[in-house]
Amino acid sequence: MELSGPRWKGKNFAQIANSNPMSKIIAQLQVCLSNSESAALPIGTDFLLETVPELTKLLNRTSFGRQLTTSYDSKQYFQLSPEETFYLHHFLKCLKVSIDNAKLIDVNDLWNFMRSRSELFPIYYRAYVHLRSKNWIVKLGTKNGVDYVVYRHHPALVHSEYAVIVDRENDKGEKEGKRMRIWSDLHCAVRACNGVAKAVLLLNVMGYEVNFSLPELLERTIVDERQITRWVPSQCRDDCKLEGNKGEHH
Amino acid sequence: MDGEEVSKVEGETRRRRKGKGKERGENPARNRQQNNFLPSSSLSGCQIRTEVSKARWVEEIGMAQVIEKNGSLWATTGVIRNGNLYCHIEEIGYLAQIGALVLLDDGENVMGLKDIFTKCADRRYGCTWEFFEAYRDLKSLGFIVGRHGQPWSLKHDNLKPNSNFTVDTDFIADRIEELQIGAANLIFDIYKPNSKFKKTDPGAPSFIICLVGDWPPIRKEVEYLEEKCKLVPLKFCHVNHGDVRFFSFPEVSLPVLP
């Protein structure tokens, strides 16, 4: 499918987004979070962060985590995914994390902690950094059967344009991930995502080796971006007008 | 709106567009199909034809020579060698299936569809059954389909001196080596439907089709094939029990947002 550009949810929403660049809101979040005493704690496979109204507002505006609804007014609670937690801690350098509820953990220990819980954490983190560092909003894509969905700005303003699948290959260019291995994987992903007006984006983390350190992960891997698009010849659009052919006009 | 709501709205829009103000059930063709439990047609245009051409199969070159040319379809079908018109087995298969061509053997016997289809699947003539199904799918939609890299027209002085068809048999031999089971092969040069198409000067194709086997191509393969196609867009074709589907894997670059 051809996407005709971002699908804004309201009439002036594109202007609202333009007037509020995400990078600026994230900068405000960085300041607020750095000044906060609150530290994220492991909870299940995710992390729990206790917040106050100003921080709550910024986390919501930058679409990090999910706010847990409570009846409390003075404090709020957010559940952050491992990638979100690590991104705020390592890349944006503003989130404190505590593992055993006593002292704060540093980035290397947190890296080891994340890796001990999920072998694939480095791959997903690499993809997450790739997307967030370009100021796209990244949310979990479970509902669409993919890894992430990405938004050009806040999900309240715009529909997500891409459904992201993360794959990987080693430094010899050999595919190592288990995604998109058989044809029905492709048919399924494209059908599910095109049905909700999203293009399928395959992010291939290239050159990864299991023993990479954190700096090596970011410096020595490349993320390749390819769209998976189905072409339906009977529904050719602008790139292929059918002239003078019976019954097959778009 | 979340994904489910979007999908609902789109579904409603599609249903509205399809209806186009007509009452449901006013589609006579569909009613006939449903009443008689007929399958939907796998090929549009299978009607009795008044313009039927004739060709003779030439085993030595794995092609047929057109001996009676009828109809305007020959402007975009078949290749010219030494001023004569020849067609590949997939072209014969398609034209025979829609009743536009009668194929003779080296005598005067008409070859039936069973023999023609068997030849399509034979692999000795640069074609496989899946190759033929992909060809038929695109051709029936009006695209101009040629074998990848093969000239539409060759004049006398371009041929090697001793044999009339050395060039063609070389092409066929190349194609047989390439069409390995399970591998990805560049098979067709496609031109958009065009009444001004000239075999002597076709220009660059609109896109190239790569037939892929059992496994989707990996990134390295996609890049390698894209390089072979140079700037012509590449589409990947997978045929699964008669179901022909096309994909492309364009490189994108998500912009850095403000």
Side-chain angles (χ1 to χ4, degrees):
Chain A
M1 63 168 274
E2 299 293 327
L3 279 182
S4 50
R7 292 161 62 232
W8 298 97
K9 290 181 174 176
K11 218 172 132 190
N12 300 317
F13 287 11
Q15 282 94 304
I16 296 171
N18 276 341
S19 321
N20 293 279
M22 191 50 65
S23 56
K24 285 224 170 85
I25 314 173
I26 288 183
Q28 291 168 23
L29 170 69
Q30 272 178 293
V31 168
C32 185
L33 204 44
S34 298
N35 292 334
S36 164
E37 293 297 320
S38 187
L41 311 170
I43 188 157
T45 51
D46 286 346
F47 289 78
L48 182 70
L49 183 67
E50 191 179 74
T51 63
V52 291
E54 194 206 345
L55 182 54
T56 299
K57 187 175 124 187
L58 286 166
L59 284 169
N60 279 325
R61 288 188 75 201
T62 53
S63 219
F64 278 99
R66 298 171 67 180
Q67 187 177 353
L68 304 175
T69 320
T70 69
S71 51
Y72 291 112
D73 279 335
S74 54
K75 287 203 172 127
Q76 292 81 48
Y77 297 88
F78 275 79
Q79 183 169 340
L80 301 166
S81 71
E83 298 96 296
E84 289 173 323
T85 305
F86 202 74
Y87 187 79
L88 290 166
H89 177 78
H90 158 253
F91 203 86
L92 295 183
K93 297 182 180 16
C94 56
L95 176 68
K96 299 166 188 63
V97 183
S98 167
I99 299 299
D100 55 10
N101 220 2
K103 67 179 181 138
L104 298 177
I105 196 172
D106 73 9
V107 69
N108 291 316
D109 288 340
L110 186 58
W111 168 250
N112 292 330
F113 178 77
M114 296 296 198
R115 292 200 59 185
S116 70
R117 292 173 130 207
S118 166
E119 206 187 310
L120 292 178
F121 174 75
I123 302 295
Y124 283 102
Y125 183 60
R126 182 66 184 92
Y128 189 86
V129 166
H130 179 80
L131 297 165
R132 269 283 187 182
S133 61
K134 293 193 192 189
N135 295 316
W136 285 76
I137 299 289
V138 185
K139 303 303 289 181
L140 271 188
T142 323
K143 212 157 53 165
N144 296 107
V146 294
D147 294 315
Y148 302 119
V149 286
V150 292
Y151 300 78
R152 198 169 277 261
H153 204 278
H154 196 279
L157 299 180
V158 68
H159 291 289
S160 71
E161 286 164 63
Y162 292 99
V164 180
I165 295 172
V166 180
D167 203 6
R168 70 189 190 280
E169 58 180 62
N170 61 22
D171 57 1
K172 295 186 198 72
E174 293 159 359
K175 183 173 157 71
E176 289 199 326
K178 297 191 166 86
R179 313 301 292 282
M180 306 293 115
R181 274 198 176 257
I182 57 176
W183 281 106
S184 53
D185 293 340
L186 267 83
H187 293 315
C188 192
V190 169
R191 175 109 183 181
C193 298
N194 285 179
V196 289
K198 293 182 211 315
V200 180
L201 182 65
L202 186 67
L203 286 191
N204 204 351
V205 178
M206 295 162 42
Y208 173 69
E209 283 169 42
V210 164
N211 54 7
F212 269 4
S213 65
L214 176 55
E216 282 174 322
L217 171 72
L218 296 177
E219 286 156 25
R220 291 177 58 182
T221 58
I222 297 172
V223 179
D224 176 73
E225 294 174 11
R226 275 194 188 259
Q227 204 173 308
I228 302 176
T229 310
R230 184 159 167 234
W231 177 62
V232 183
S234 59
Q235 293 170 13
C236 257
R237 291 197 173 102
D238 300 315
D239 62 341
C240 194
K241 287 201 176 63
L242 299 188
E243 299 152 275
N245 197 39
K246 59 185 191 305
E248 299 292 347
H249 297 291
H250 160 62
Chain B
M1 273 208 289
D2 67 274
E4 282 146 7
E5 291 164 279
V6 168
S7 176
K8 247 194 236 160
V9 167
E10 282 170 337
E12 280 160 6
T13 312
R14 267 199 296 276
R15 278 191 285 278
R16 204 169 49 238
R17 283 208 190 118
K18 260 193 186 162
K20 287 189 184 149
K22 271 195 205 158
E23 291 292 325
R24 289 215 159 198
E26 274 185 18
N27 183 334
R30 202 172 75 185
N31 284 344
R32 255 202 312 280
Q33 269 178 11
Q34 287 171 347
N35 291 338
N36 297 328
F37 300 98
L38 291 173
S40 54
S41 171
S42 65
L43 198 65
S44 61
C46 271
Q47 64 241 34
I48 308 291
R49 285 172 186 265
T50 49
E51 292 176 325
V52 181
S53 305
K54 247 192 221 166
R56 174 165 283 115
W57 182 251
V58 184
E59 182 65 31
E60 302 82 71
I61 56 164
M63 297 170 84
Q65 181 172 359
V66 181
I67 53 182
E68 254 177 58
K69 199 172 107 169
N70 288 312
S72 57
L73 60 90
W74 295 106
T76 52
T77 312
V79 293
I80 300 170
R81 299 287 184 265
N82 285 343
N84 293 322
L85 185 60
Y86 297 91
C87 39
H88 290 293
I89 190 60
E90 65 274 12
E91 296 172 304
I92 297 164
Y94 169 69
L95 293 175
Q97 187 173 344
I98 63 167
L101 180 75
V102 165
L103 183 68
L104 305 175
D105 64 9
D106 54 9
E108 282 304 308
N109 302 312
V110 172
M111 292 174 69
L113 269 181
K114 189 174 81 160
D115 292 331
I116 294 172
F117 284 160
T118 307
K119 277 194 175 353
C120 287
D122 193 329
R123 288 173 184 270
R124 274 185 294 163
Y125 312 112
C127 186
T128 63
W129 186 247
E130 288 74 26
F131 182 108
F132 166 64
E133 289 180 304
Y135 175 86
R136 182 178 61 192
D137 195 69
L138 291 164
K139 189 75 174 164
S140 66
L141 291 170
F143 291 94
I144 299 169
V145 188
R147 287 196 177 184
H148 174 64
Q150 275 210 6
W152 286 88
S153 174
L154 270 184
K155 287 190 198 149
H156 184 71
D157 52 8
N158 283 358
L159 295 179
K160 290 184 185 173
N162 295 326
S163 165
N164 282 339
F165 297 104
T166 310
V167 176
D168 280 327
T169 50
D170 281 351
F171 274 124
I172 291 171
D174 284 345
R175 182 54 43 85
I176 290 163
E177 278 167 37
E178 285 168 20
L179 281 180
Q180 298 140 29
I181 301 168
N185 303 284
L186 297 178
I187 58 167
F188 297 135
D189 292 338
I190 306 288
Y191 298 80
K192 296 179 208 169
N194 177 8
S195 54
K196 300 199 184 83
F197 179 80
K198 278 205 187 82
K199 289 180 185 176
T200 46
D201 182 23
S206 306
F207 37 89
I208 293 172
I209 303 290
C210 173
L211 185 65
V212 195
D214 298 328
W215 313 111
I218 62 173
R219 183 201 56 87
K220 212 165 61 159
E221 286 174 327
V222 173
E223 277 189 12
Y224 168 72
L225 291 162
E226 278 175 344
E227 257 168 67
K228 279 180 91 171
C229 293
K230 303 192 174 72
L231 293 172
V232 180
L234 177 59
K235 297 196 193 297
F236 292 82
C237 178
H238 177 236
V239 184
N240 184 36
H241 302 293
D243 188 82
V244 182
R245 285 182 192 248
F246 299 91
F247 287 92
S248 56
F249 306 110
E251 252 191 298
V252 295
S253 186
L254 246 56
V256 176
L257 298 172

